[in-house]
Each structure stands twice: as structure tokens, then as C-alpha cells.
Amino acid sequence: LSNSGPSSPTDIKSGAFSAAIRKLSEKSDELYPTVLPNLRIAYWYSGNLLTNKVDPYLTESEVDSFRKNLDSRFAKANNLLKGTDLSKWDDDELVITNFLQALIWSNEYALSGSADAKKTAEAVFEKTMVIYNKVFREHNRLLAIPFEYAAFLANIYGKEKSADIENLLAVLYEPKSFKSDLFNMFKGVRGQENKKDIFRQKIVKIASVSQDFKKLLMETSGWQESDFK
């Protein structure tokens, strides 16, 4: 994984990198079933389904197939997790496992509007942030974690949770974060014409809640006022 951790593919439909990760995860699971490959596969399917909801490109049968794969892979990951001795895991494995679960539940809420999915996503994001703040925050690593949680809160609560959102974003305002993969993604998505892009929508939503984040994008990543519309 890169130093920003798993991130929302900016164009899943043509995301060769994302598809490659899914295929590698499938191969890994064939050789020796473990939690993380199945979570990565489930996340890939959930991301595609969410992209399809915003900008349809899948057939009805493909949607059904993707949903079945998502549900089966997520169930398999959770079953494997029950039989895993987490005391033997390192911090990276723990935080990425929780992060992927949070992303999948967040996508599920966006897909279905399920109150249970929303509650679970928020709880797992909080659990992820405990590990993140303890181990990764001071090193400006895995910046996708606070970004994605901030996007989740901004989308659901808006300015009602502005203090929590600003607290999550604080690490992004530090200069040593500016050379991260996440900031490269900020720069890359700015020039895209596709306004329906999920990652872009998250950026714009956070910027509508946080003027400091909006200013950050304009000063570090080439965003202009017109890009936020």
C-alpha cells in the first residue's frame, strides 16, 4: 500500500490499478485465504456499485453479480476475522483492516441509506482513528484515513460536525503532508471534466464545510474557485 493507504479510485470504470489490486487479492486468497485480500475485493465491488449509482454503466445483471460478490467477500472477510489472533498483527494490518471495513460500510450507506450501515461506518471509522492517532498521525502517514472520515461526516452532517471535520483535517494542513499520494490525487482529479467522480465529489463536499480545506486545495493543488462548482 502507498503511504496514503487505500483511497477511493478516482475513476473505477477505467481504473486499471484498482482492477489489478483486485485480481492480485483474488490470487492471494486462492493460495491462502486471509482477511485483507477479501476486504480489498469487497471494497472494489462496493466502489464500483457506488460509481454506477452516480454515473450508471453496469447492466442490471452486472449489478446483481457485483452485489453478490461484495456480500460474499465481505462475509468471508468477517468470518476469517473471527478466527484471527489480532495480537499477532502489526499496526499497519490493524488500521488498514478497520479502514477498509469503514469504507465498505460507508459505501453501503451511500448505496442503501441503511441506518445500520451509517451507524456501523461511523463506529468503525472512530475505531480506525484511535489506531491512526496512536501510531500514524505524527508521521503524516495514511492520510486517506482522516480524509475519508471527514468526507463521510461532511456528507451526512455538513456544518453540524464542522469542528470534528476540522480536527480530522488538521494533519493535512501540515507542510510535510503536501508531498503525499493523497495530495497528488487532489491535483490529478482537479483537471477531470467528470463532475460525477466520487473522489471529486468528496473533495467538493468537504470544501463546502471547511473554508480552510478549500484554501488548502487552492494553495497546494491548483484548484480554482470554478472547480468547486
Side-chain angles (χ1 to χ4, degrees):
L1 291 168
S2 66
N3 66 346
S4 63
S7 51
S8 300
T10 58
D11 186 2
I12 293 177
K13 287 181 286 185
S14 61
F17 176 78
S18 298
I21 292 294
R22 192 205 80 209
K23 290 176 182 177
L24 284 172
S25 296
E26 288 171 345
K27 193 65 177 177
S28 173
D29 186 62
E30 287 176 12
L31 296 172
Y32 187 76
T34 55
V35 175
L36 276 173
N38 282 284
L39 285 177
R40 290 193 181 101
I41 296 166
Y43 173 56
W44 186 89
Y45 281 111
S46 73
N48 271 274
L49 288 171
L50 184 56
T51 298
N52 182 70
K53 182 178 181 180
V54 174
D55 187 12
Y57 66 98
L58 296 173
T59 65
E60 186 175 338
S61 62
E62 286 174 329
V63 169
D64 289 342
S65 175
F66 277 36
R67 167 51 74 176
K68 289 177 182 177
N69 277 293
L70 162 59
D71 291 344
S72 65
R73 288 294 184 171
F74 199 27
K76 185 175 182 178
N78 288 322
N79 285 332
L80 287 167
L81 195 58
K82 292 176 184 177
T84 301
D85 183 1
L86 298 181
S87 67
K88 296 181 180 179
W89 281 25
D90 60 28
D91 293 320
D92 286 77
E93 288 177 303
L94 283 171
V95 79
I96 295 303
T97 295
N98 281 281
F99 184 38
L100 284 168
Q101 289 179 310
L103 290 173
I104 294 167
W105 282 114
S106 174
N107 284 352
E108 182 59 35
Y109 173 67
L111 287 166
S112 67
S114 163
D116 286 341
K118 171 188 168 185
K119 181 178 179 181
T120 304
E122 196 160 353
V124 182
F125 266 127
E126 281 293 320
K127 185 178 177 181
T128 306
M129 286 304 301
V130 170
I131 306 170
Y132 177 82
N133 287 328
K134 180 181 178 181
V135 180
F136 302 96
R137 169 66 175 81
E138 65 177 317
H139 303 293
N140 297 69
R141 290 187 59 210
L142 304 179
L143 298 178
I145 293 176
F147 169 81
E148 289 286 354
Y149 191 18
F152 175 79
L153 293 179
N155 185 55
I156 296 175
Y157 301 105
K159 293 186 178 180
E160 179 186 340
K161 291 274 189 176
S162 59
D164 293 328
I165 291 168
E166 289 297 350
N167 186 52
L168 288 165
L169 296 175
V171 65
L172 302 187
Y173 302 146
E174 298 172 5
K176 59 182 179 178
S177 295
F178 298 167
K179 294 183 179 180
S180 67
D181 289 350
L182 185 64
F183 274 76
N184 288 333
M185 292 176 69
F186 290 160
K187 295 171 186 175
V189 77
R190 188 201 71 79
Q192 289 188 6
E193 295 182 3
N194 182 13
K195 302 293 185 181
K196 295 181 180 180
D197 178 272
I198 299 295
F199 183 63
R200 183 190 183 92
Q201 287 185 1
K202 290 178 179 180
I203 293 171
V204 172
K205 187 62 180 180
I206 296 175
S208 72
V209 174
S210 171
Q211 287 298 309
D212 287 341
F213 180 69
K214 182 177 182 179
K215 181 180 178 182
L216 177 72
L217 292 174
M218 296 177 79
E219 292 180 349
T220 65
S221 304
W223 283 63
Q224 301 175 10
E225 188 67 41
S226 60
D227 293 321
F228 297 97
K229 298 178 181 178

